[in-house]
Amino acid sequence: MKEIIRLENIVKSFYIGMPNELEILHGINMSVSEGEFVSIVGPSGSGKSTLMNLIGVLDRPTSGKYYLDGIDVEEAKDDELSDIRNRKIGFVFQTYNLIAKTNAIKNVELPMLYAGMSKSDRKDRAAELMELVEMTDRAKHLPEELSGGQKQRVAIARAMANDPAIILADEPTGALDSKTGRLVMDLFHKLNEKQGKTIVLITHSEELANETDRILSLKDGDIVNEEIRRVRE
């Protein structure tokens, strides 16, 4: 299987060169294959969100090499990274990050607007995605008129807007009750199995992690264990 994410000896430090310099990640080595569903688990403060920001090209490592679908991230310019982020990666956050005064379907259209897609294509694609996440009847509702689970389904539709190869989900069920969280996880499984999306799930829940192909355990900035749950053919 083709490798889509590869991190080699990734170190991330903050306050570099200062007396209170803080190294969060201490030489991470990991790879993810195309179509895999991988979880990264660990307690608060283990470096999960820092690692996700690096994988999602929201931040750059202090040292080490990161290859995203064969592209050396270190060599890419900022505008290239922005384009990579918009086209290759869909983000799903615990806090949804929807635009408050914009209705659900317009929220889904936003990444396509930034990508320069025509208005008619945006509308068609957004309608298709709202149907995928079973939110067609809530398309014109503002985020404040939606439940937590409905907001997260809109957020997943938005993450899929530009048909990214990778979905990065940071504690996507963290703010949801167990029943609603189950719906969201079922949706991720559907995207992974039916559409072949590569999914990296950041979670503190071992129960959710057990549903993925492979579990990477992060502790104090190091990957301390890897457990393979399912081997893909």
Side-chain angles (χ1 to χ4, degrees):
M1 287 168 71
K2 179 186 170 189
E3 204 171 58
I4 197 164
I5 291 169
R6 182 171 189 81
L7 282 72
E8 296 178 355
N9 202 29
I10 292 288
V11 172
K12 181 62 183 177
S13 300
F14 294 95
Y15 318 117
I16 296 164
M18 297 172 69
N20 58 338
E21 181 173 332
L22 186 62
E23 188 174 285
I24 303 293
L25 300 176
H26 314 303
I28 298 289
N29 292 288
M30 63 172 280
S31 65
V32 178
S33 296
E34 199 169 47
E36 242 193 319
F37 193 167
V38 175
S39 54
I40 298 172
V41 300
S44 296
S46 59
K48 297 193 304 294
S49 291
T50 301
L51 180 56
M52 196 200 85
N53 286 342
L54 295 178
I55 293 171
V57 203
L58 296 169
D59 200 1
R60 291 179 184 258
T62 306
S63 64
K65 283 283 189 182
Y66 176 25
Y67 298 94
L68 177 61
D69 203 10
I71 297 164
D72 184 340
V73 168
E74 188 183 14
E75 300 297 319
K77 297 183 175 67
D78 283 347
D79 58 342
E80 289 176 299
L81 290 184
S82 179
D83 187 57
I84 289 166
R85 235 187 346 259
N86 201 30
R87 293 182 184 278
K88 287 192 181 291
I89 302 171
F91 294 91
V92 181
F93 300 97
Q94 180 176 344
T95 50
Y96 324 121
N97 288 14
L98 299 177
I99 308 298
K101 299 300 180 189
T102 303
N103 69 29
I105 199 160
K106 292 286 187 190
N107 264 284
V108 175
E109 282 186 45
L110 272 176
M112 296 179 268
L113 179 67
Y114 297 141
M117 191 182 288
S118 72
K119 187 175 182 180
S120 62
D121 286 349
R122 287 201 309 268
K123 282 192 156 190
D124 290 347
R125 174 74 176 152
E128 180 188 311
L129 290 167
M130 290 296 277
E131 188 176 346
L132 176 76
V133 299
E134 299 177 8
M135 285 292 291
T136 303
D137 60 336
R138 294 281 189 273
K140 302 292 186 184
H141 286 57
L142 294 173
E144 66 186 27
E145 299 170 317
L146 302 174
S147 69
Q150 289 168 340
K151 288 178 193 172
Q152 196 60 294
R153 281 190 276 164
V154 173
I156 291 168
R158 182 187 57 189
M160 290 287 294
N162 290 325
D163 198 22
I166 303 163
I167 295 175
L168 291 185
D170 190 1
E171 298 283 7
T173 64
L176 307 176
D177 62 64
S178 57
K179 185 181 175 185
T180 311
R182 176 72 267 149
L183 290 173
V184 168
M185 280 301 288
D186 287 345
L187 190 48
F188 283 131
H189 284 298
K190 185 159 85 171
L191 294 174
N192 175 243
E193 290 161 17
K194 301 277 174 65
Q195 299 198 14
K197 298 301 175 190
T198 304
I199 301 179
V200 179
L201 171 72
I202 311 284
T203 183
H204 64 273
S205 166
E206 288 189 20
E207 186 181 347
L208 295 184
N210 284 335
E211 296 185 26
T212 65
D213 299 337
R214 191 157 51 99
I215 305 171
L216 300 172
S217 298
L218 198 64
K219 185 178 180 183
D220 298 331
D222 286 303
I223 292 175
V224 293
N225 189 48
E226 177 181 359
E227 182 183 351
I228 296 169
R229 304 284 303 177
R230 179 171 57 158
V231 178
R232 295 289 183 104
E233 294 300 326

